[in-house]
Amino acid sequence: MKGEQIPLSVQLRSSASFDTYYAGPNQAAVNALRESSRGGLFLYGAAGSGKTHLLQAAVREAAPGVRAGYLPLRELVQRGAEAVDGYAGYPMLCIDDLDAIADDTQWNHTLIRLLDRLRTEGARWCVSAAAAPERLGGLLPDLRTRLSALPLFALRALGDDDRHQWLRRSAHQRGLELPDDAARWLLNHLPRDTGNLLAAIEELDRASLRDKRRLTLAFVQRTLGLRPQ
């Protein structure tokens, strides 16, 4: 990892990179996240649109020596708002799943203070949620105002054709040729979010090297322990 990760027991996916994200209709959001040097962005979209992938990619690919932090609020909410104490000093911070704490007043106040500090210190940050700020119920007006002032990017889930192309490209980047029928089978039998699909490709890559076999539909099914229903 290039950037210096914050001292929290949060595991970033090894597969989370900009190169492994198939932008499709979301190229503008990817460009903004990669090219921004300071200030904030707000990404929103349904599950499977790639919010977590992009935020983790931004943290993993931060410049060498830069303290870059990833805050998965859905995982941290049970720890209480004090879990983010000390993060304000980081020049790069990605805050995921804001909707998980939208109706928690203490968390709202904590994030208001955190965002104000990031802005004052000229940091670079990104916040993600399932919906745009004005559609997130429970947010305090002061937090909603701050988030609504950021550049907003709506992430659209990939269509079947784009997802199929991305899956085959991801395999090709690992030196694998994924047949069309195997790609279609994966899309029909696995969760379609990028994390699960990339994990499947990684498992197939290891199995192909171990068994010295090329990918076929039967090999894919056997390796993943699944069969058509």
Side-chain angles (χ1 to χ4, degrees), residues 5-208:
Q5 168 66 0
I6 53 179
L8 255 186
S9 57
V10 175
Q11 184 65 40
L12 300 179
R13 297 171 183 164
S14 61
S15 58
S17 72
F18 289 116
D19 288 341
T20 58
Y21 182 80
Y22 187 85
N26 302 316
Q27 190 63 57
V30 175
N31 292 345
L33 191 55
R34 296 191 77 167
E35 296 168 6
S36 64
S37 58
R38 60 183 297 168
L41 300 171
F42 191 96
L43 305 182
Y44 66 96
S49 58
K51 301 185 297 295
T52 295
H53 187 111
L54 286 176
L55 264 58
Q56 291 196 6
V59 171
R60 292 187 70 248
E61 299 188 16
V66 171
R67 292 184 298 168
Y70 171 70
L71 294 177
L73 296 186
R74 198 169 302 282
E75 298 178 25
L76 299 177
V77 63
Q78 298 302 324
R79 303 190 190 185
E82 62 274 9
V84 303
D85 288 349
Y87 287 46
Y90 280 76
M92 170 66 180
L93 189 62
C94 288
I95 304 170
D96 204 2
D97 292 324
L98 177 75
D99 38 303
I101 55 86
D103 58 359
D104 187 307
T105 300
Q106 183 182 5
W107 270 102
N108 273 240
H109 284 299
T110 296
L111 289 179
I112 289 171
R113 293 192 296 271
L114 178 58
L115 296 183
D116 285 350
R117 175 85 178 273
L118 292 170
R119 184 176 65 250
T120 298
E121 297 187 351
R124 174 187 173 203
W125 77 93
C126 183
V127 181
S128 86
E134 67 271 15
R135 297 181 64 86
L136 286 175
L139 288 181
L140 293 179
D142 284 351
L143 180 56
R144 191 186 309 277
T145 297
R146 285 163 171 76
L147 295 172
S148 296
L150 300 176
L152 305 179
F153 293 91
L155 296 182
R156 294 166 49 197
L158 297 180
D160 286 348
D161 289 343
D162 280 338
R163 202 176 294 275
H164 186 275
Q165 184 176 347
W166 166 79
L167 193 57
R168 296 197 70 202
R169 189 193 72 171
S170 298
H172 184 74
Q173 289 173 337
R174 292 167 172 76
L176 302 171
E177 293 302 322
L178 183 66
D180 281 333
D181 58 352
R184 287 194 299 270
W185 184 87
L186 287 172
L187 292 173
N188 288 332
H189 290 81
L190 295 179
R192 292 189 168 200
D193 63 280
T194 55
N196 277 293
L197 291 172
L198 283 174
I201 292 296
E202 290 175 349
E203 184 174 352
L204 292 171
D205 189 13
R206 292 190 295 269
S208 177

